[in-house]
Amino acid sequence: MSDSAASVDSLKTKVPAKTIGDITVPSPVFSCRDVDVFYGDKHAIKKVNIDIARQQVLAMIGPSGCGKSTFLRCLNRMNDTIVGARVEGQITLDGQDIHEKRQDVVQLRARVGMVFQKPNPFPKTIYENVAYGPRIHGLAANRGELDDIVNQSLRRAGLWEEVKDRLNQPGTSLSGGQQQRLCIARTIAVNPEVILMDEPCSALDPIATARIEDLIDELRESYAICIVTHSMQQAARVSQRTAYFHLGDLVEVGETNKIFTNPQAKLTEDYITGRFG
Amino acid sequence: MSSTNNSAVKSAAETQQQVRNSLARRYRAERRFRFYGFAAVTAGIAFVVFLFGTIFAQGLSVFQQSYVKLEVFYDPETIDPAGNRDPDDLVVADYQALVRAALREEFPQVEGRPNLRELYGLMSSAASIELQRAVTANPDLIGQRQTLWLLADDTIDMVLKGNVSRQAREDERRLSDQQIGWLNALEQRGDLDLRFNRSFFSNGDSRDPEQAGVRGALIGSLLTLLITLLLSFPIGVGAAVYLEEFAPRNRLTDVIEVNINNLAAVPSIVFGLLGLAVFIGFFGMPRSAPLVGGFVLTLLTLPTIIIASRAALKAVPPSIREAALGMGASRLQMVGHHVLPLALPGMLTGAIIGMARALGESAPLLMIGMVAFIVEVPQGIVDPATALPVQVFLWSDLPERGFVERTSGAIIVLLLFLLLMNATAVWLRNKFEKRW
């Protein structure tokens, strides 16, 4: 434990001054420029520049505490809820600054859905879990439409067959993997443009993980997906682009197969070959 | 060489022996602690049993009261000499004369003013009031005869219940030997009996123990607590939600938090003084009114409810908040749809504690005049009223033997009220509690 910490510290000096790789993509959904995040005095994210492409999965990897989750939470302004957190720099969603006064945070979160590390279904029925988003955003005119949205969302999340007979049972009665798919169904029920996933499989067993990964692959056709993961295999399996974070710096970003086969930065290579992390 | 080695590195057997020795010590400590706990619980139970035993032993007799069976003649000559059945005249007529006439009929041999006065002393003044009520409700009774069970005086009641001995010397009891003789005669004829004590539940306070009832205090407590609940629960929950979910964390909110915690420890009589100064002195609200009592008890219970509600809100897992916010719920939606339902059971627990405290409070009510002697049962929140604990306090101070059982009786009613209230709250809490 102390060894790896020491090695991480010694690596601090080796962070390249500028992000290596292609930070830009054509027609990005998110475009982040010089993003800094501070937690009080702590500089958690340092001058991050990155674009997020449509219909693609971006995996963010890096050792614990490197700021990947913090960066993810910038994208739907969840950091607003943390006392003492401050975000600087420019983040645009479809060309519009998300920190602009005119940008409503409620609307932003309807466009940018989020799936959390621990499955966190509401303590309500399965139906109510999925229906909640459409209901508060007024997406269904009547009960029939709402039923359709719930039905479709559960189908797309691959959960319909398992829960169709018990929609009125509590969401928390499902298994961990099912709960996480319920959370994904809940997120896609409001039809967002981007789905943020913060280590969605870290609390799941390999079988449930495989199902979620298949699901991510299917959902990619409709949504831009950002996934934070600790598993490099998972990043390699599900993503098209990978970004490597290190102690608040975005070290390298590029196509996933390039990053994993031929990393440009020494730090990236050390991490993916398992020398630390 | 080997000996130094042995001292430095202990053998496994040695280590095991040390563990075994420490084990015995640990188990002894645990047994000792268990014994202390058991002793404390036993002592607690013993005290509770003793307390309840005393209260019920002294108070249960209040639910029965001595009544005398008399044949009453509604003599038109006495109560309606004009013969026109005028309601105004009927109200003020001399019904005591009817009771006296009935008593003379029961004991025709009694003669002479002093003896007759003693005879009339057997009955409570409530007897004539009952006749008055019967006649004003149904004037057709005039001219008829009716056999009624009428309230006996509390001195009779005490003898009948065995609280005062018939064998005691005459100068040590309030009944004369002659009265004891009539009492025995009535009892032999079956005309004197202990019956269910209606007046205890239908009357307000009285100077006569046999007429004194808890209804006034019960209604007063009910109205006061209703106002307390209606005000303190919404305000307390609202304040807790604002402080916990919406207010910025700064020096001002820190000061408010410290002050709320301090307020919870302020002696209740201080709240009474505050109520007296603000509600009665400044706003000119009526004295002795359940309305003001409710306001004062609201001030008293608010800190408790706010503290409990904030703790309940803090206990809601942050993942639920994140899930709601992540779905695009506004802050108010997050609180209203997800956080409040999960925190409600905890808030209700706070409300139970607060309301139970409010029900048992007498000191702040003394300050705002709810300690007055009030005979009428309050009809609304601005009528003069008293409360159950204050009634207990008032009766416990009175010299008549009959008020001893009434004090305990009022305590029983207070405890039953508390039990009923808490049971309702617990039922509500369990209903809202989601175990999933």
Side-chain angles (χ1 to χ4, degrees), chain B residues 233 237 312-313 316 339-350 429 432:
Chain B
F233 192 62
V237 169
L313 287 169
V316 173
V339 178
L340 261 190
L342 287 175
L344 201 58
M347 292 174 166
L348 281 172
T349 308
R429 186 179 64 192
F432 287 120

Side-chain angles (χ1 to χ4, degrees), chain A residues 109-113 133-134 137 139 149 152-153 156 184-195 222-223, chain B residues 327:
Chain A
R109 288 179 189 148
R111 291 170 70 188
V112 184
H137 296 302
L139 302 185
I149 293 177
Q152 265 180 19
S153 306
R156 296 183 68 185
I184 293 172
R186 181 175 73 184
T187 306
I188 58 183
V190 292
N191 207 14
E193 292 170 50
V194 186
I195 300 177
S222 328
Y223 310 103
Chain B
M327 289 302 301

Side-chain angles (χ1 to χ4, degrees), chain B residues 151-184:
Chain B
L151 198 57
D153 194 70
D154 64 299
T155 47
I156 307 281
D157 188 52
M158 285 300 108
V159 171
L160 209 62
K161 283 174 178 166
N163 290 335
V164 173
S165 170
R166 291 174 218 217
Q167 273 75 49
R169 276 181 21 223
E170 192 170 13
D171 54 356
E172 282 178 353
R173 51 175 147 79
R174 287 173 60 201
L175 287 177
S176 67
D177 285 343
Q178 189 172 215
Q179 284 175 311
I180 291 285
W182 294 327
L183 189 152
N184 289 337

Side-chain angles (χ1 to χ4, degrees), chain B residues 5 17 64 91 100 121 133 136 152 158 255 295 321 354 385 426:
Chain B
N5 231 358
Q17 187 53 47
Q64 288 198 314
V91 168
R100 286 174 180 171
R133 253 187 229 137
T136 43
M158 285 300 108
V255 169
F295 285 168
R321 291 165 215 266
V426 169

Side-chain angles (χ1 to χ4, degrees), chain B residues 288-306:
Chain B
S288 311
L291 180 71
V292 181
F295 285 168
V296 169
L297 293 183
T298 299
L299 295 179
L300 186 81
T301 48
L302 263 179
T304 315
I305 293 184
I306 292 176

Side-chain angles (χ1 to χ4, degrees), chain B residues 1-11 14:
Chain B
M1 189 61 196
S2 67
S3 65
T4 50
N5 231 358
N6 276 350
S7 65
V9 182
K10 287 178 208 147
S11 70
E14 254 182 304

Side-chain angles (χ1 to χ4, degrees), chain B residues 379-409:
Chain B
Q379 303 294 316
I381 53 172
V382 288
D383 286 355
T386 183
L388 277 170
V390 181
Q391 189 71 75
V392 170
F393 164 73
L394 284 172
W395 281 347
S396 69
D397 218 24
L398 294 173
E400 283 90 346
R401 191 70 182 73
F403 278 117
V404 175
E405 62 169 20
R406 271 169 172 69
T407 306
S408 297

Side-chain angles (χ1 to χ4, degrees), chain B residues 41-60:
Chain B
V41 170
T42 313
I45 290 175
F47 278 116
V48 168
V49 168
F50 179 73
L51 172 75
F52 277 74
T54 324
I55 290 171
F56 279 88
Q58 288 189 351
L60 275 182

